[in-house]
Amino acid sequence: MHTVVVRVWLPDRPGALGQVASRIGAVKGDLLSIEILEVGGGKVIDELVVALPDPDLVDLMIAEVHAIDGVSVEHVRPVGGDHSDGGLLALALAAELAETDDAERMTAAVASVARLTDGAWAMVVRGDDVLASYGDAPDPDWVMSLLAGTRHLGDPMVASSDMFWADLPTSGMWLAAGRDGRTVHERERVRLDLFARIADALFAT
């Protein structure tokens, strides 16, 4: 089986998700899990985990779903690792971080943030010092300036941003991660915030 994560935009109306599930079933897809990422403005953004008997069926599945009135596919990606459920992945990564030796915890944390956000880069920063990074992370001063500006403006672009961030106030640090071509949604931010709270408590011990 070929398993993929499908992010779809649906009209917020009864039966819309059932129509999507029916089209997935029509191409012999098996709907394994559903996560609601965001609701608002008459739209629902869902992330579906789908198992298909053949990877060649992915394009056909997308075409079938797109054919539903008011439905669009934002992104499709293969499932990476052992966890296809975002909530379970966050718990697993938090447990692994708690079990990691203190000397390696910072490196483990930034790798976990990158995996949790599916980010191309991630960093943990204290003051002006990058304590750990993953991927081709941007200059932290640029990230800090961007965050300061959005916070000052009440974060009006949060729904369309492709960057995550979270404060670790107890340990005096902050973390950020970014990815290209995929919008960050509300539930993803909440998940990272909860992970960051656990990491903050671990770093402060």
Side-chain angles (χ1 to χ4, degrees):
M1 299 295 287
H2 179 67
T3 306
V4 294
V5 178
V6 185
R7 185 168 292 185
V8 294
W9 290 60
L10 314 169
D12 191 3
R13 65 171 186 244
L17 181 58
Q19 289 180 289
V20 171
S22 178
R23 295 298 180 98
I24 291 172
V27 298
K28 304 186 186 305
D30 187 11
L31 186 55
L32 302 179
S33 71
I34 302 167
E35 184 175 20
I36 300 171
L37 296 181
E38 201 164 311
V39 179
K43 288 285 187 179
V44 179
I45 305 168
D46 287 347
E47 197 160 82
L48 316 176
V49 179
V50 178
L52 294 163
D54 190 319
D56 291 339
L57 292 170
V58 171
D59 288 343
L60 178 59
M61 177 190 65
I62 293 172
E64 287 286 331
V65 172
H66 266 303
I68 304 169
D69 183 41
V71 176
S72 61
V73 176
E74 178 185 302
H75 185 78
V76 178
R77 69 184 188 278
V79 168
D82 299 328
H83 298 279
S84 59
D85 180 283
L88 289 178
L89 175 61
L91 285 172
L93 292 175
E96 290 173 10
L97 189 65
E99 294 164 354
T100 300
D101 292 339
D102 290 348
E104 300 175 359
R105 188 167 283 159
M106 193 67 66
T107 301
V110 77
S112 295
V113 169
R115 187 174 172 197
L116 183 61
T117 60
D118 200 26
W121 61 267
M123 66 172 72
V124 177
V125 181
R126 177 187 286 127
D128 297 326
D129 298 323
V130 178
L131 303 181
S133 65
Y134 170 92
D136 188 15
D139 185 283
D141 290 339
W142 176 84
V143 177
M144 288 182 68
S145 297
L146 179 63
L147 299 188
T150 55
R151 285 168 175 163
H152 176 71
L153 296 172
D155 209 4
M157 300 301 290
V158 67
S160 61
S161 173
D162 58 0
M163 189 168 71
F164 297 81
W165 61 86
D167 289 317
L168 285 69
T170 304
S171 54
M173 298 183 289
W174 57 271
L175 60 84
R179 66 190 186 203
D180 296 326
R182 283 171 48 213
T183 300
V184 176
H185 295 295
E186 179 183 3
R187 190 173 181 87
E188 295 178 291
R189 291 188 183 280
V190 170
R191 196 155 52 214
L192 181 63
D193 284 342
L194 292 173
F195 178 84
R197 286 172 58 186
I198 296 171
D200 192 20
L202 291 170
F203 290 140
T205 57

